[in-house]
Amino acid sequence: MLVTPYQNEPIETFSSQAALSDMQAALRAVRASFDKIYPMVIGGKKVMSRETLRSVNPSSPTQVVGSAAKATREDADAALDAAWSAFGSWSRWKQEDRSRVMLKAAQIMRQRKRELEAWLVYEIGKNFIEASAEVAEMIDFTEYYARQALKHVGALSALNAYPGEENESFYIPLGAGLTIAPWNFPMALMTGMTVGAIVVGNTVVAKPAEDTVVSLAHVFDIFEEAGLPPGVVNYLPGVGREVAAYLVEHPRTRFINFTGSLATGKWINQAAAKVGEGQRWIKRVFLELGGKDAILVDETADLDAAAAAAVQSAFGYQGQKCSACSRLVLVDSVYDAVLERVVERTRKLTVQAADQNPDLGPLCNSAQDAKVREYLAIGKNEGALLVGGKRLEADGYFVEPTVFGDIAPRARVAQEEVFGPVLSAIKVRDFSQGLAVVNDTLYGLTGAVFTRDRARIEQARAEFHVGNLYFNRKCTGALAGVQPFGGFNLSGTDTKTGGPDYLLQFLQMKAVAERF
Ligand code: NAD
């Protein structure tokens, strides 16, 4: 295949008037198509249901962005059947042809970028640059996996010959599986998890988060337009505990590719381990879960850069990223100086409706709103409120970016994932104690260190136990094909999305020996 070399899709900063005008036009166009009802897609057929799932604008929750069919268990059975029927032929497509469909889909996404971003602004409250970063990541996953898949074709060359035999080993796909996505990066994560599985010949039932059923309906339309055959992806909007849980336990589900909370991930891991009636395999389970990510700053660091990175990592998309910085661990001698800068920067952040392109938009839904409010109260008891701390008087789920100081390393706000704009500052004696503190959580997803000391960089490289470690930069924003992403410990099974080995997880190796 003659394709240009892989490059990360540029993220629009909206600093030009032209980009802003395009975005305003896209927002108007999207607003004009609010309130539609989107069907499930099962075996290529659009299927409506008696009940629907309503998706609202978190900046103004009385505004309905759209509704989607609400799948039942019968629909889930039909979707899994459709995925297995499609598997027979899709798994035999030439790899080049499967990759070509994905490359075509990526190109359509590029052409519809502003519109896709606008859906994210209205459905989950992203500001423009966060929306652009997500659509760019979705395009990256689609492109990157399409190209990586071409490397897994044919017999492996790295094996030894054996006298008197012809030996060859090659990869084949697994079958029909389930992809389950969270709401915070609905397009990028659902697309990444799905494309990773299907590009190498599997088929899936895709279950979006309840809050993002509209955004994903538009994404799966693109795959259909790109020429994906019916049944390769079956779009199943529904309630997680009902249809997704049912399919997790289903004896015909071959694999589960999940991104979401630790609580759901633990349940899935256990449920999928049981071998059901008639089941012929051990299910493969991939889990990408939560984080309690830290930035550690020592006395040699560039304190302005550290403060800027902490604020960006803590409050980008309202802190609702698995990679968000929620612990700022500061060596005693620079504690006050860094916090002063962090507080000053935080005070300047704007909180507004997402379509006004503020620094922070709303939290995603009422459950998030309630959870973050609870942690604001907990933080006030566990430390000193330095800035923020309040929910705004508005219909939307707006919370001030909040920084707590004097938080103990084992305090609840220092240990539990808040998933909101709440940053806890922890004072440590020195760098070594700082390393011990950053590692002292159940999680191990991302982390960053600000230091100019080469020996400490090397110490942290070896000892800071996270899947994604950054020096002298923010701890969010991993790029596909550049920083493979996935966590240690209870942050998940370290699938390393956007990495060169990702696709192997959806393949099995067949070793064939013929005696001559
Ligand atoms: P969640 O676990 O509540 O929901 C995730 C998905 O699981 C949804 O589609 C939901 O409908 C479904 N679900 C719920 N119960 C289920 C069940 N019993 N069986 C099967 N599916 C079920 O998570 P969320 O609130 O949507 O997402 C936020 C969480 O996701 C945070 O913890 C965040 O850290 C994590 N996350 C992790 C990564 C990563 O790459 N590690 C990326 C993004 C988000």
Side-chain angles (χ1 to χ4, degrees), residues 132-249:
S132 173
E134 171 159 1
V135 172
E137 188 180 19
M138 167 169 70
I139 294 169
D140 283 352
F141 281 141
T142 309
E143 280 272 341
Y144 182 72
Y145 295 150
R147 292 151 187 264
Q148 284 297 315
L150 297 166
K151 300 192 173 149
H152 301 309
V153 179
L156 265 67
S157 57
L159 297 171
N160 291 331
Y162 190 78
E165 285 182 5
E166 186 211 355
N167 281 279
E168 65 162 356
S169 293
F170 51 89
Y171 291 111
I172 59 171
L174 297 171
L178 177 60
T179 53
I180 311 173
W183 48 261
N184 70 330
F185 281 82
M187 290 188 182
L189 297 182
M190 177 56 101
T191 302
M193 287 190 290
T194 301
V195 170
I198 64 174
V199 72
V200 289
N202 300 289
T203 55
V204 304
V205 177
K207 210 303 279 175
E210 292 81 334
D211 295 298
T212 62
V213 289
V214 172
S215 296
L216 281 168
H218 291 283
V219 169
F220 287 121
D221 262 0
I222 290 176
F223 283 99
E224 191 183 323
E225 189 184 334
L228 196 69
V232 175
V233 174
N234 300 279
Y235 182 51
L236 196 78
V239 175
R241 281 188 316 277
E242 295 169 9
V243 284
Y246 173 70
L247 288 177
V248 164
E249 293 183 309

Side-chain angles (χ1 to χ4, degrees), residues 408-424:
R410 285 294 180 97
R412 285 185 64 191
V413 285
Q415 291 288 327
E416 297 169 17
E417 187 183 47
V418 178
F419 221 54
V422 180
L423 178 64
S424 298

Side-chain angles (χ1 to χ4, degrees), residues 255-493:
F255 62 91
I256 299 142
N257 200 5
F258 173 81
T259 307
S261 65
L262 173 58
T264 310
K266 285 199 293 194
W267 182 84
I268 289 176
N269 200 39
Q270 250 184 350
K274 290 184 204 131
V275 176
E277 187 71 36
Q279 187 175 320
R280 296 175 168 209
W281 44 69
I282 304 296
K283 290 172 191 166
R284 283 199 194 171
V285 178
F286 312 101
L287 305 169
E288 288 297 331
L289 311 174
K292 192 68 197 172
D293 313 303
I295 294 183
L296 169 60
V297 186
D298 80 359
E299 69 283 7
T300 70
D302 175 339
L303 304 188
D304 284 325
V311 169
Q312 210 185 349
S313 309
F315 302 130
Y317 188 41
Q318 296 79 269
Q320 301 174 120
K321 298 183 185 179
C322 54
S323 56
C325 171
S326 57
R327 295 179 298 151
L328 181 58
V329 180
L330 304 169
V331 165
D332 194 354
S333 57
V334 294
Y335 180 85
D336 289 335
V338 175
L339 268 189
E340 217 169 87
R341 287 165 168 85
V342 166
V343 168
E344 196 187 313
R345 283 176 177 275
T346 304
R347 277 194 209 291
K348 292 189 187 138
L349 299 176
T350 53
V351 187
Q352 252 180 316
D355 63 359
Q356 302 303 302
N357 198 23
D359 296 307
L360 282 83
L363 298 175
C364 181
N365 55 37
S366 59
Q368 275 290 102
D369 189 24
K371 185 166 84 142
V372 171
R373 269 196 277 178
E374 194 186 331
Y375 278 106
L376 290 178
I378 294 169
K380 285 173 192 164
N381 278 326
E382 290 185 322
L385 175 65
L386 301 180
V387 60
K390 287 199 299 289
R391 188 196 189 281
L392 302 191
E393 293 294 327
D395 289 342
Y397 308 119
F398 299 103
V399 173
E400 292 176 333
T402 299
V403 182
F404 291 115
D406 300 328
I407 295 292
R410 285 294 180 97
R412 285 185 64 191
V413 285
Q415 291 288 327
E416 297 169 17
E417 187 183 47
V418 178
F419 221 54
V422 180
L423 178 64
S424 298
I426 300 169
K427 192 187 285 182
V428 290
R429 204 174 45 243
D430 54 23
F431 186 77
S432 292
Q433 191 191 17
L435 267 186
V437 165
V438 295
N439 280 333
D440 185 25
T441 76
L442 296 175
Y443 296 104
L445 190 51
T446 77
V449 178
F450 277 78
T451 179
R452 289 193 175 102
D453 184 314
R454 180 47 52 189
R456 288 178 183 172
I457 289 180
E458 297 313 333
Q459 186 185 357
R461 193 189 299 273
E463 294 175 16
F464 197 157
H465 194 60
V466 288
N468 287 75
L469 177 62
Y470 303 96
F471 289 108
N472 298 316
R473 55 150 285 181
K474 63 188 172 118
C475 64
T476 54
L479 290 172
V482 180
Q483 293 121 356
F485 190 80
F488 297 161
N489 294 346
L490 286 178
S491 286
T493 54

